């Protein structure tokens, strides 16, 4: 017993010693590779090669060292020096896929065609049922332009692996490069049969990378699938229809498939279709797919995230009616007080307000305010008030604004609120209040709303009461989308009022409104009054530019050119002059070319 025990102890010690030695060797290897890398980064390539040469003498088949030497030789333009090292490494470790890949890559880059073929054949011969061998060999052949040989290698690999869809992605890509659309489509069908999820991603990626040729490939695919009623054929047809510019057909084909699939397959199809439709910028199709997916979503955060996406894509597609109908469904099915119900209720208010459906927006706001008193209420109330104002429902606007506390809202809302209250004051003849509120609004607004506030502020500062009455009447019509009628109302009011310092700006506004309303004749009359009666005003050069643009748009370029010349010569210091010069050059070119 004692001798036996002694033997076990000795064997254990030897084993431990061997393991420790191996561990030490690995640590040394890693340390030397790091040292070579540091030298390489410092540009000391010769010293790095010396370190790597020592490593390869001790471990000729070490992949890390081979890769490092490859990098350095590439930098030095001496890649052929790597070949004997690679040959020795592969001979010592023929089963290393990494060494084999490096060998094929280097031979391909050196354009050593015969040696590449020999190395590739040696690899697939030594590993006949290894997928990576055929794939990398074919990729190397393809990289050197030997497409037919690459195809042969991939098909041989398919036979060896005895799997119909083996190398389908590689063959499809190869066929696309050769513009063999039908052959590529046949490979995609194989892939859809075996792995639908992967196929959707791969097919959409391949078509996307084809650029202008994607539509040709898609149309050829649809022709090939004309009589194919298989599930994979119909899936491929749905994808192809999207890239062929036939979104309606894509949806019809996808919808026809739903009843033939299991729930898991159906969800996978809809998920793939939605991603592809989003990639093709087809928001209506995304919303359609999401609507179906919503049926399988649990009533939790994911459900409402999906609901938000449906509404977002409906709105992107311009289908506000569909978004509102879906919100109605959500509000009927969701529990009042829940986060989902609150979101749907608020979104409904916003959409009605944006659509200027003031009465519906008010009712929706009343329902929302009866359930929720959160931070969104001021913003919703202001949106409804603006919708009411746009419908000239002044009393309702004032009532809704009572829900908006001035001190508890952010700066942008405060500016909009101040502007809305300023308009109400203007319409009521409270010009001092309107002026003070517009001064506050102008400081917080931006873009077109700010320009409008500043314009009205100028009228309020310089105009007389009769002019301001005309301004109020015109502005109410502008908010209702009736610019031509607003221009006429303004012109009539100005004719009965004593001119003030605001008169040039008021005539300019009347001209702009007339042109925006489609009456160039009325607009020209107002703008020419500015030029005739107030040639020294700051509005005169603006009137010249506006009228020139309107005449150019009405196919009267010669008259437009004359006005622009008048602008440049008569008002050289105006901010409009540089714009006029640029526009004059464009119009002269158009006139000379016609």
């Amino acid at each position: 017993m004692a001798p036996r025990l002694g033997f076990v102890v000795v064997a254990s010690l030897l084993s431990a010693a061997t393991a420790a030695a191996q561990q030490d060797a690995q640590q040394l290897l890693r340390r030397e590779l790091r040292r070579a890398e540091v030298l390489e980064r410092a540009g000391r390539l010769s010293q790095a090669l010396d370190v790597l040469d020592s490593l390869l003498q001790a471990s000729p088949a070490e992949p890390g060292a081979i890769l490092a030497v490859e990098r350095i030789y590439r930098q030095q333009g001496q890649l052929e020096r790597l070949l004997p090292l690679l040959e020795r490494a592969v001979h010592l470790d023929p089963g290393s896929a990494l060494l084999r890949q490096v060998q094929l890559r280097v031979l391909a880059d050196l354009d050593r065609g015969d040696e590449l073929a020999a190395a590739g054949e040696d690899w697939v011969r030594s590993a006949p049922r290894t997928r990576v061998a055929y794939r990398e060999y074919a990729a190397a052949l393809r990289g050197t332009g030997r497409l037919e040989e690459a195809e042969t290698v991939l098909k041989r690999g398919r036979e060896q692996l005895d799997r119909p869809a083996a190398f389908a992605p590689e063959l499809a890509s190869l066929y696309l490069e050769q513009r063999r659309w039908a052959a590529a489509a046949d490979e995609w069908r194989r892939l859809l049969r075996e792995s639908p999820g992967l196929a959707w991603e791969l097919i959409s990626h391949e078509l996307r990378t084809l650029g202008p040729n994607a539509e040709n490939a898609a149309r050829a695919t649809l022709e090939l699938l004309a009589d194919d009623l298989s599930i994979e054929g119909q899936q491929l047809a749905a994808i192809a229809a999207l890239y062929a510019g036939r979104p309606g057909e894509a949806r019809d084909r996808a919808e026809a498939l739903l009843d033939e699939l299991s729930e898991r397959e159906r969800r996978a199809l809809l998920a793939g279709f939605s991603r592809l439709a989003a990639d093709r910028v087809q928001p209506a199709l995304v919303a359609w797919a999401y609507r179906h997916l919503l049926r399988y979503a649990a009533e939790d955060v994911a459900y409402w995230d999906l609901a938000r996406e449906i509404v977002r894509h409906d709105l992107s597609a311009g289908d506000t009616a569909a978004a509102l109908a879906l919100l109605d469904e959500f509000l009927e099915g969701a529990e009042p007080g829940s986060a989902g119900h609150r979101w749907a209720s608020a979104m409904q208010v916003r959409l009605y307000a944006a659509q200027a459906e003031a009465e519906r927006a008010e009712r929706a706001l009343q329902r929302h305010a009866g359930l929720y008193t959160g931070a969104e209420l001021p913003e919703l109330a202001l949106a409804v008030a603006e919708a009411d104002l746009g419908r000239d429902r002044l009393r309702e606007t004032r009532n809704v604004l009572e829900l908006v506390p001035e001190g508890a809202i952010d700066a942008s809302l405060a500016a909009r609120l101040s502007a809305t209250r300023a308009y109400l004051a203007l319409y009521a003849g409270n010009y001092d209040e309107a002026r003070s509120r517009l001064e506050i609004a102008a400081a917080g607004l931006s873009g077109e709303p700010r320009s409008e506030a500043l314009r009205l502020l100028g009228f309020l500062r310089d105009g007389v009461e009769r002019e301001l009455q005309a301004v109020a009447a015109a502005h109410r019509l502008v908010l209702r989308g009736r610019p031509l009628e607003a221009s006429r109302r303004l012109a009539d009011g100005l004719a009965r009022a004593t001119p003030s310092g605001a008169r040039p700006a008021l005539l300019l506004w009347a001209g702009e409104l007339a042109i925006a309303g489609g009456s160039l004749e009325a607009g020209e009359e107002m703008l020419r009054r500015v030029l005739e009666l107030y040639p020294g005003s700051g509005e005169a050069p603006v009137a010249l530019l506006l009228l020139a643009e309107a005449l150019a748009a009405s196919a009267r370029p010669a008259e437009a050119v004359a006005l622009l010349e008048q602008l440049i010569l008569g008002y050289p210091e105006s901010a409009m002059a540089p714009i006029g010069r640029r526009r004059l050059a464009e119009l002269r070119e158009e006139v000379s070319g016609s």
Side-chain angles (χ1 to χ4, degrees), residues 286-309:
V286 178
W288 169 83
Y290 281 170
R291 276 183 168 81
H292 281 282
L293 282 170
L294 197 63
R295 300 174 185 176
Y296 310 111
E299 295 245 357
D300 57 11
V301 174
Y303 177 91
W304 290 106
D305 285 345
L306 195 55
R308 288 182 177 88
E309 285 298 303

Side-chain angles (χ1 to χ4, degrees), residues 349 353 358 361-362 365 379-389 397 400:
V349 176
E362 276 186 40
L365 178 63
E379 178 256 327
L380 295 177
L382 183 54
V384 174
E386 290 168 339
D388 274 327
L389 192 66
T397 303
V400 171

Side-chain angles (χ1 to χ4, degrees), residues 360-397:
R360 288 184 173 182
E362 276 186 40
R363 291 195 295 270
L365 178 63
Q366 289 168 1
R367 289 193 298 269
H368 189 87
L371 289 168
Y372 310 108
T373 58
E376 79 273 10
L377 189 57
E379 178 256 327
L380 295 177
L382 183 54
V384 174
E386 290 168 339
D388 274 327
L389 192 66
R391 295 289 299 276
D392 208 35
R393 293 159 50 92
L394 305 187
R395 181 173 59 83
E396 290 83 354
T397 303

Side-chain angles (χ1 to χ4, degrees), residues 528-539:
R528 288 196 182 279
R529 281 192 197 177
V530 176
L531 300 173
E532 293 165 4
L533 300 175
Y534 306 98
S537 67
E539 286 75 18

